[in-house]
Amino acid sequence: MTLHEKVTQAFIEKYKEPPEILIRAPGRVNLIGEHVDYNDGFVMPLAIDRAVWIALRPRSDGHVHLHSLDYGEELDFAVASIVKERSTWREYVKGVAWVLLEEGFNLTGWEGVMTGNVPMGAGLSSSAALEMGIVRTFMEVSGFSMDASKMALIGQRAENDWVGVNCGIMDQMISAGGENGHALLIDCRSLDTSAMPLPEGSVVVVLDTTTRRGLVDSAYNERRMQCESASSFFKVSMLRDVSMQQIESQPEGLDSITWKRARHVITENERTLAAADAMKSNDGVQLGELMYNSHISLRDDFEVSNDALNSIVECAMQIQGCYGARMTGAGFGGCAVALIESDSRQSFIDQVTACYREKTELTANIYVCEATNGAEAVDL
Ligand code: GLA
């Protein structure tokens, strides 16, 4: 049964009528451009065929009632009086409603059922998918529209100011604005986007190490602070404005850790722009090389990888038909991403699984993914 069917059936069971609206909001995988969004740089994610699904209908009493099939839990609140509670999935929903109200939107209530298949805590942006699903839902029931970057800014503010997670803008931008069959080059300063084709005959594979690390938030915040101190050292507002020349050798007065952090951001930004060129010229080999260099930089300079991610990337890189691989997302566990020749997908999956198991005694979850549209209302 597809999630489309599952969520529709669950709605019918609960409300004895079919839903009036169906929303799908995808997770994402980032091809290249890691830890640069909060430095105003360029990123290259794609929305994937793993998503949050909500089946719903409007309510006239200003209440939101949502049943999560995956958590087996309910959420009930009046849009007129939103109160913060212990942080769970519910806070993402309420946080989005709170930001929309803060920004002057009139909200209609609704009721529905939700499910999803974006693995949580794996670095595939299940939270951004939920946020964009909720923004989309309110757009549909309340009858207003906005572009993908506005949707993304609302989700990011909900996460920053309501949930209390200091994320950048990448995940929400791609979950809101993804395009079928393409990655999106996003300028995180202007929020301009351009759709980039994947090299012909290649597919994107997600390699979930199944390792998850707590304390990601504190390490993430620490990296953000290091980037800020580097940009104040260089007297710019954001590291994007520092040139390659400026960080080639360690400047006097800048400690070596902060220098390495800055070097990652600046080289990664260059790599992402080079990746866009490679994609324009249909060059999988070049794109793959840039992805692997990105991994090395995240591992050695930004220091956000872990043993499992390093193992799975090394396994992938040894296999015939793999253009390149790297860790993806915030790091410290979760997923890597590989670009491979589509003809070798089955042998690639078999070989990575065996190699990773031999190195770590863990079983990876591996799936080929399709690049999809961003959050949308789907035909019932
Ligand atoms: C998380 C954040 C994003 C981005 C990535 C790292 O996914 O939510 O904003 O910073 O980490 O590239």
Side-chain angles (χ1 to χ4, degrees):
M1 192 171 22
T2 63
L3 293 190
H4 184 148
E5 290 159 355
K6 180 179 169 187
V7 80
T8 307
Q9 274 188 20
F11 185 99
I12 294 172
E13 256 164 52
K14 192 171 167 71
Y15 297 103
K16 315 293 173 222
E17 275 177 30
E20 292 174 28
I21 298 168
L22 190 57
I23 300 290
R24 171 194 158 273
R28 65 101 185 90
V29 65
N30 190 18
L31 267 191
I32 193 162
E34 215 64 81
H35 287 279
V36 292
D37 63 345
Y38 53 83
N39 292 293
D40 265 5
F42 289 88
V43 297
M44 184 78 77
L46 45 124
I48 58 174
D49 48 354
R50 295 256 167 165
V52 167
W53 287 79
I54 309 170
L56 68 132
R57 66 182 179 194
R59 275 174 78 119
S60 53
D61 63 355
H63 276 251
V64 169
H65 191 97
L66 179 59
H67 176 74
S68 161
L69 296 178
D70 306 322
Y71 287 99
E73 289 173 4
E74 307 274 329
L75 164 67
D76 207 349
F77 65 97
V79 289
S81 56
I82 307 176
V83 186
K84 219 177 272 189
E85 288 153 296
R86 204 168 52 86
S87 190
T88 64
W89 65 274
R90 297 185 185 91
E91 296 314 296
Y92 291 86
V93 181
K94 285 152 55 187
V96 165
W98 173 76
V99 176
L100 286 167
L101 290 170
E102 286 269 310
E103 307 241 337
F105 291 98
N106 278 325
L107 300 187
T108 303
W110 49 274
E111 59 196 2
V113 174
M114 174 171 82
T115 189
N117 60 357
V118 190
M120 269 166 288
L124 299 179
S125 294
S126 56
S127 331
L130 174 54
E131 290 154 18
M132 292 307 97
I134 300 300
V135 176
R136 252 284 164 231
T137 296
F138 276 115
M139 285 164 68
E140 292 294 320
V141 292
S142 314
F144 54 80
S145 61
M146 61 179 88
D147 63 14
S149 52
K150 181 70 185 168
M151 290 173 69
L153 287 165
I154 285 170
Q156 185 195 26
R157 187 170 163 207
E159 191 149 340
N160 292 170
D161 296 352
W162 187 273
V163 181
V165 176
N166 204 11
C167 63
I169 193 71
M170 167 171 73
D171 307 341
Q172 291 79 4
M173 279 294 292
I174 187 65
S175 179
E179 287 192 33
N180 262 335
H182 292 80
L184 225 53
L185 175 68
I186 304 172
D187 177 340
C188 295
R189 172 165 282 169
S190 65
L191 301 188
D192 288 342
T193 63
S194 34
M196 293 287 154
L198 294 171
E200 251 165 66
S202 71
V203 285
V204 173
V205 185
V206 170
L207 311 163
D208 186 347
T209 62
T210 69
T211 60
R212 306 284 184 261
R213 202 182 106 169
L215 300 177
V216 178
D217 287 354
S218 60
Y220 186 85
N221 289 339
E222 184 189 58
R223 295 302 182 284
R224 287 192 70 142
M225 267 147 48
Q226 289 165 334
C227 290
E228 276 167 31
S229 46
S231 55
S232 41
F233 174 85
F234 287 107
K235 301 195 170 43
V236 293
S237 67
M238 290 285 174
L239 277 182
R240 171 193 175 141
D241 300 314
V242 174
S243 69
M244 290 282 273
Q245 268 174 342
Q246 284 174 286
I247 42 102
E248 237 156 37
S249 51
Q250 186 175 352
E252 225 184 283
L254 188 65
D255 69 276
S256 53
I257 298 271
T258 313
W259 172 50
K260 285 202 305 181
R261 303 294 188 255
R263 186 168 62 184
H264 164 71
V265 172
I266 294 147
T267 57
E268 183 76 352
N269 204 39
E270 291 288 317
R271 278 187 290 272
T272 307
L273 292 170
D277 289 339
M279 290 168 89
K280 277 184 210 149
S281 45
N282 200 21
D283 189 343
V285 174
Q286 177 65 15
L287 177 57
E289 201 168 296
L290 291 160
M291 288 170 69
Y292 185 59
N293 290 339
S294 163
H295 182 76
I296 293 171
S297 178
L298 288 157
R299 184 191 68 194
D300 298 344
D301 276 359
F302 216 61
E303 297 182 275
V304 290
S305 191
N306 73 353
D307 289 345
L309 285 164
N310 295 337
S311 299
I312 212 160
V313 166
E314 291 312 323
C315 286
M317 291 303 296
Q318 285 163 17
I319 297 166
Q320 182 95 30
C322 176
Y323 291 118
R326 56 181 285 276
M327 56 151 278
T328 187
F332 305 105
C335 293
V337 58
L339 184 76
I340 66 163
E341 283 170 2
S342 49
D343 291 345
S344 45
R345 62 177 81 186
Q346 198 48 55
S347 68
F348 176 82
I349 293 174
D350 296 343
Q351 289 179 67
V352 176
T353 305
C355 170
Y356 182 65
R357 186 173 293 140
E358 193 180 319
K359 283 193 184 201
T360 63
E361 293 176 8
L362 295 169
T363 304
N365 281 331
I366 300 179
Y367 34 91
V368 173
C369 57
E370 300 284 329
T372 70
N373 280 337
E376 59 190 351
V378 177
D379 288 344
L380 289 158

